[in-house]
Amino acid sequence: MALNCRVIPVLAMILIAGCTITPEPITTAERVEQAAQDREKLFVGQQPVAGPISLAEAMARAIKYNTTQRLRVMEEALAQRQVDVSRYDLLPRLGLDLQYQNRNNQNASSSRSLETQRQSLEPSYSQDRDRKSAQLELVWNVLDFGISYYTAQQQTNRQLIAQQKRRKVIHDLMQDVRDAYWKAVSAQQLGERISEVRSMAEQALEDARAVERERLQPLLQTLRYQKALLDVIQKLETLEQDLSQAKPRLAALMNLPFGEAYALVVPTPEEMTLPVVDIELPQMEALALVQRPELIEAAYEQRITALETRKAITRLLPGLEFDFGVNFNSNSFLSHQTWYETGLRITWNLLSLPGRLEGLSLAETQEQVAEAQRLAVSMAVLSQVHLSYRDFQNVVQRYERARQLLAVEQRILENVSNTEQALATSPLETIRTQSNAMLAELRRLDSYAALQAATGRLHASLGLDPLPPTVQSHSVADLSVAIEAVLADWSAGNLRTESNGLAEPDNAPKQ
């Protein structure tokens, strides 16, 4: 009774405490503190920008510091940890059980005759009031081992899938960096010139409005002149707005702090050569079907579904369990206080067989679906190869036309800028000519950026990786050198085919 008097209040307190739990919302101060910590963590440990950034360095910084890429690296590391954990499921179960028991009186009992219902034995006991016992038991279930074995194999394939997902992220990231880099180059090259021409146009517009107020020219002629100037100013403002987003976008891809000023390496027109693609479409198809991370991922998924079928077959078998135990009991009435036990158990739930047969049928259907999905991905990959190659050819032609147009516009600008010609030319014609020449140069730069983007899409459609199988170190400088060498090989038409992905640990920049 005394024990119950102590236990009941404790249980009542636990029950009351459980009923009084209420959700606690995050306070504004906590959110502010978390935001400050996140902002600091976003850019901590990064190598500072020491000079103009080349395309290779921009790619290296994106691979090393981009938050999406770092997330994929962590996911891959997590998948590896899960593989390590799953291996422990293959071990037999080794259990240790320690007990201490106490009674406030003896565990005594007597016997009663079944026929006469009279007590046939005086009360007796065969157990101490205080007892200690221990058991060390080793149990190995063959069925559980088989299922755990297949599960561990599935987890290793998921870890390999995480590697291919990281490859895919890098491919997409490199395409974005290419596009943003060349647009940022255009902004850096043309930014000051756009401002100069726009200032000239705005000054000419003010002069035209003064002429209108003083009625020095017919009103219709003056208005048409102002309209032409406004059209030029509007084009220049639109151009400035488009280019102003390029460098912040590139900075975000490289994970640079927002607002940090940086310069880019601007190649000369002689260095802006056409990439060489001298591989035939059948070779591209074969290369893509071997290299693309999506197809490798689909193959691993097919492995996982095949292992799921094997697990379903294993579940149809009866369970076979071996156990071996060492026991100790301090009860003084026992003749043997220490003993060994061995056992063999076979279990088979016959009522679960129909459901497990359905599970086997489901697993076989999943194998067929996985095969169909892999074939569908293969078809999509081949389509991307053909489309990216056609797009590359079209962009090459557009770039050549942009170069020709720029040459003509530059000759027109030289002609208009001639001293004798300038005396007979209106300011509008001079401004319009300079604007057209600058727009032509922008189109040439934009078409070259499109050419680089198309080249990147072509390389990505083939499953080529921007990093070699191993790198000297994971510093930005060494990564840049490695990427620069790969890009040079690609531009020369030497497509890498010896590596099928970033499977080596050295390819993953350390965080």
Side-chain angles (χ1 to χ4, degrees):
M1 180 64 68
L3 180 63
N4 292 337
C5 293
R6 290 194 299 267
V7 171
I8 292 176
V10 173
L11 294 177
M13 291 177 61
I14 295 175
L15 181 61
I16 294 173
C19 295
T20 56
I21 294 177
T22 57
E24 297 182 4
I26 300 175
T27 63
T28 303
E30 291 175 335
R31 294 200 302 269
V32 170
E33 181 180 0
Q34 184 65 56
Q37 293 175 357
D38 291 346
R39 186 177 182 84
E40 182 179 355
K41 291 178 182 178
L42 282 174
F43 310 108
V44 69
Q46 296 189 176
Q47 298 181 26
V49 177
I53 298 176
S54 64
L55 175 60
E57 183 180 347
M59 289 183 171
R61 287 184 173 274
I63 290 176
K64 189 173 178 64
Y65 300 128
N66 184 267
T67 53
T68 303
Q69 159 63 6
R70 285 192 285 184
L71 175 61
R72 289 302 183 187
V73 171
M74 293 179 184
E75 289 177 348
E76 184 180 346
L78 175 61
Q80 180 60 52
R81 292 289 181 88
Q82 290 172 339
V83 170
D84 297 337
V85 171
S86 66
R87 289 171 180 164
Y88 289 100
D89 294 335
L90 299 175
L91 300 176
R93 186 176 75 252
L94 181 63
L96 177 63
D97 183 16
L98 301 175
Q99 290 188 18
Y100 171 77
Q101 293 178 318
N102 171 268
R103 288 177 59 96
N104 65 335
N105 51 27
Q106 297 292 352
N107 185 15
S109 63
S110 63
S111 299
R112 187 183 297 274
S113 172
L114 180 63
E115 295 179 357
T116 64
Q117 297 298 311
R118 289 181 298 182
Q119 182 174 333
S120 61
L121 184 67
E122 64 181 0
S124 63
Y125 63 91
S126 60
Q127 195 176 73
D128 294 333
R129 289 174 56 188
D130 294 315
R131 300 186 314 280
K132 303 181 185 68
S133 63
Q135 181 184 40
L136 182 64
E137 185 180 28
L138 181 68
V139 180
W140 187 50
N141 190 300
V142 178
L143 182 61
D144 289 345
F145 171 80
I147 294 176
S148 298
Y149 175 75
Y150 292 133
T151 301
Q153 285 189 322
Q154 287 178 318
Q155 195 58 51
T156 58
N157 283 282
R158 291 189 180 97
Q159 190 262 335
L160 295 172
I161 287 175
Q163 292 181 357
Q164 300 306 317
K165 287 183 179 296
R166 180 167 60 86
R167 285 186 63 213
K168 177 60 177 173
V169 167
I170 291 179
H171 290 174
D172 295 339
L173 188 60
M174 294 305 96
Q175 293 183 60
D176 293 339
V177 170
R178 273 180 183 264
D179 185 45
Y181 178 85
W182 287 107
K183 287 185 177 179
V185 166
S186 302
Q188 184 170 304
Q189 280 188 306
L190 301 178
E192 294 183 0
R193 292 180 55 190
I194 293 174
S195 298
E196 292 176 0
V197 177
R198 184 166 59 84
S199 297
M200 291 175 56
E202 290 174 347
Q203 183 60 48
L205 180 61
E206 290 296 327
D207 296 340
R209 288 169 176 167
V211 170
E212 178 187 356
R213 287 193 297 268
E214 297 176 4
R215 300 184 182 275
L216 299 178
Q217 291 182 356
L219 178 60
L220 184 58
Q221 179 182 351
T222 304
L223 293 176
R224 286 175 177 172
Y225 181 70
Q226 293 180 26
K227 178 180 178 298
L229 287 171
L230 287 171
D231 288 340
V232 172
I233 293 173
Q234 186 179 31
K235 288 181 181 179
L236 294 174
E237 288 176 343
T238 302
L239 183 58
E240 276 186 321
Q241 293 169 2
D242 292 341
L243 295 179
S244 65
Q245 300 177 2
K247 294 192 77 172
R249 179 171 170 239
L250 180 60
L253 292 171
M254 295 187 295
N255 207 55
L256 291 179
F258 294 101
E260 178 177 339
Y262 66 94
L264 300 175
V265 175
V266 179
T268 63
E270 292 74 19
E271 294 174 337
M272 298 171 64
T273 57
L274 292 176
V276 177
V277 178
D278 56 1
I279 183 173
E280 301 295 331
L281 269 174
Q283 294 174 299
M284 291 184 183
E285 293 177 353
L287 183 60
L289 291 176
V290 174
Q291 297 278 96
R292 283 291 292 271
E294 296 95 328
L295 281 174
I296 301 175
E297 180 182 344
Y300 288 138
E301 289 286 358
Q302 195 170 0
R303 276 192 192 178
I304 292 174
T305 54
L307 290 169
E308 193 64 35
T309 301
R310 295 184 185 181
K311 287 169 64 175
I313 294 174
T314 304
R315 290 190 180 97
L316 294 174
L317 302 176
L320 180 62
E321 184 176 280
F322 300 93
D323 64 85
F324 173 78
V326 180
N327 299 270
F328 166 78
N329 195 305
S330 65
N331 186 13
S332 60
F333 291 89
L334 293 176
S335 298
H336 302 283
Q337 292 181 318
T338 303
W339 68 96
Y340 301 103
E341 282 186 345
T342 58
L344 173 64
R345 175 189 292 181
I346 298 178
T347 58
W348 201 1
N349 187 350
L350 299 179
L351 293 179
S352 68
L353 280 179
R356 292 183 177 180
L357 288 173
E358 288 295 332
L360 176 60
S361 177
L362 174 62
E364 292 173 346
T365 303
Q366 288 176 336
E367 277 197 74
Q368 298 173 359
V369 172
E371 173 72 13
Q373 288 176 338
R374 188 177 59 81
L375 292 176
V377 173
S378 299
M379 187 62 193
V381 165
L382 294 179
S383 299
Q384 290 177 6
V385 169
H386 280 261
L387 291 175
S388 60
Y389 180 65
R390 300 303 177 193
D391 181 56
F392 173 78
Q393 291 179 320
N394 294 335
V395 173
V396 168
Q397 184 178 5
R398 189 161 69 244
Y399 175 66
E400 290 294 342
R401 290 289 180 266
R403 289 177 58 186
Q404 295 172 6
L405 179 61
L406 175 61
V408 172
E409 290 290 354
Q410 287 177 338
R411 292 174 61 188
I412 294 174
L413 179 60
E414 291 175 3
N415 190 283
V416 172
S417 300
N418 184 276
T419 305
E420 295 181 1
Q421 184 71 20
L423 294 176
T425 305
S426 66
L428 174 61
E429 185 64 26
T430 303
I431 294 171
R432 182 179 292 166
T433 303
Q434 291 182 352
S435 176
N436 289 339
M438 188 168 49
L439 290 174
E441 184 173 356
L442 176 65
R443 279 192 292 268
R444 199 251 317 173
L445 291 172
D446 187 62
S447 60
Y448 190 76
L451 174 62
Q452 288 289 331
T455 305
R457 286 192 296 271
L458 179 60
H459 293 158
S461 71
L462 300 179
L464 302 179
D465 300 305
L467 280 176
T470 58
V471 293
Q472 183 175 356
S473 73
H474 299 103
S475 66
V476 172
D478 288 335
L479 288 174
S480 301
V481 171
I483 294 175
E484 184 69 38
V486 173
L487 294 180
D489 285 343
W490 289 355
S491 297
N494 302 323
L495 301 181
R496 234 174 358 106
T497 59
E498 69 275 8
S499 172
N500 65 346
L502 303 179
E504 295 296 330
D506 283 345
N507 277 328
K510 299 293 186 292
Q511 301 302 322

